[in-house]
Amino acid sequence: MARATRVSARLTLLASVGGFAGALIVGARVGLARQAALARRRIGKPLGEAPPEADRVWRPGLGGEAVDLLLLGDSIAAGLGAQHRKETLGGRLAKGLAGELGRPVRLRTAAVVGAESADLAGQIAALPKDYRADVAVIVVGGNDVTHRVPVPAATGHLADAVRRLRAMGAAVVVGTCPDLGALRSVPQPLRSIGSRASQQLAEAQADRARAEGAQVVSLRRAVGPFFRIDPDGMFSLDRFHPSALGYRRTAEALLPVVRDAVRVSVDAPDVEGAASDIPSPL
């Protein structure tokens, strides 16, 4: 009888602990949901959803055949937060790449504000049937984190996009998910959770992208510290998207890898075989 009583007491205690733990989890989820709503209200949409139109031939006076540069991904790739086309990520990359190669660069931006990795397939499908990029730059991942897309699903979509672009003859450079922990507008502990989640996604993106033959730049390592040290200068009005300076730093991190990828793809007829010879600096 005494043993049965002890067993019953233990079961009651376990049930109580389990119920308490469950209540904590539910409470944490509710708290995080409230913090996410607060962050969305703080950020708002002061910039709208239409970045400057930067698609054009950059540095046409250089002469020679233009290099085709394609940008895919989310609002960072699209350039939201920049005030002028020359300040967008695409504009800065195109102008810088033209200077490095001594040739004009024709920019096409297929990136869409708010896009997740799952949207890359649609961005590629929407390209003209006869379009062929010399190099494609993908920057995506932030919206996958904020929308809680599972890492395997997000990286699977990225790998598919890289594979399709490579099959089209383009060299591919992937800028991995930026550090969401730099967003001061997001309260704690949500900011720390976002930082860890974005790091996990970025690391997984790097592995999958490299496996498919893409070159990788860790934006978290290359420019993340600048956003943490100088948020007033690096972020735009909404405190979420890069400013002109933020895009300049991001372009500077991507440009050497994009340049080398173009040189290999243009000089070597076998893009897939040649791209693996490019060292990844980050």
Side-chain angles (χ1 to χ4, degrees):
M1 183 68 177
R3 181 180 179 182
T5 301
R6 288 195 298 271
V7 170
S8 177
R10 288 175 182 171
L11 291 175
T12 301
L13 177 61
L14 289 173
S16 298
V17 171
F20 179 66
L24 284 178
I25 293 172
V26 172
R29 287 177 177 172
V30 171
L32 291 175
R34 288 175 178 171
Q35 285 194 331
L38 175 61
R40 285 192 291 269
R41 287 197 299 272
R42 285 182 179 178
I43 295 169
K45 293 185 178 181
L47 304 172
E49 295 186 356
E53 175 59 55
D55 287 4
R56 53 173 286 196
V57 176
W58 291 81
R59 305 287 296 275
L62 290 174
E65 185 178 356
V67 172
D68 281 291
L69 168 64
L70 172 66
L71 259 68
L72 299 162
D74 55 24
S75 56
I76 294 178
L80 188 64
Q83 298 299 308
H84 307 285
R85 62 186 181 186
K86 66 181 181 180
E87 297 173 347
T88 63
L89 180 61
R92 290 192 178 278
L93 274 177
K95 186 176 180 180
L97 185 60
E100 291 278 346
L101 299 176
R103 294 170 57 184
V105 172
R106 184 183 297 108
L107 172 65
R108 180 181 290 271
T109 305
V112 176
V113 174
E116 300 174 9
S117 297
D119 298 311
L120 292 172
Q123 293 177 16
I124 296 173
L127 295 171
K129 297 301 182 183
D130 60 347
Y131 177 76
R132 294 294 181 270
D134 292 302
V135 61
V137 176
I138 303 175
V139 180
V140 74
N143 294 313
D144 292 282
V145 173
T146 59
H147 296 160
R148 294 182 292 182
V149 177
V151 170
T155 56
H157 291 302
L158 175 62
D160 288 341
V162 173
R163 194 178 306 118
R164 289 180 63 184
L165 291 165
R166 300 279 292 150
M168 293 166 61
V172 182
V173 176
V174 173
T176 56
C177 183
D179 180 12
L180 299 190
L183 298 173
R184 298 287 182 87
S185 56
V186 178
Q188 294 287 14
L190 189 61
R191 193 192 315 160
S192 295
I193 293 173
S195 181
R196 290 194 295 272
S198 59
Q199 181 177 8
Q200 291 171 353
L201 177 58
E203 291 172 351
Q205 285 178 320
D207 290 341
R208 291 300 301 273
R210 288 193 183 105
E212 296 298 336
Q215 298 305 303
V216 174
V217 175
S218 170
L219 296 182
R220 180 189 187 91
R221 289 200 297 249
V223 298
F226 294 111
F227 282 90
R228 286 181 176 267
I229 294 170
D230 182 22
D232 292 336
M234 296 290 288
F235 284 106
S236 61
L237 180 64
D238 66 358
R239 313 293 294 172
F240 188 84
H241 295 93
S243 63
L245 177 59
Y247 280 121
R248 191 187 87 188
R249 293 286 192 186
T250 304
E252 287 172 349
L254 289 165
L255 182 57
V257 184
V258 175
R259 176 203 62 211
D260 291 347
V262 171
R263 284 176 174 166
V264 171
S265 68
V266 169
D267 293 342
D270 181 4
V271 176
E272 292 201 18
S276 61
D277 296 332
I278 306 173
S280 182
L282 297 168

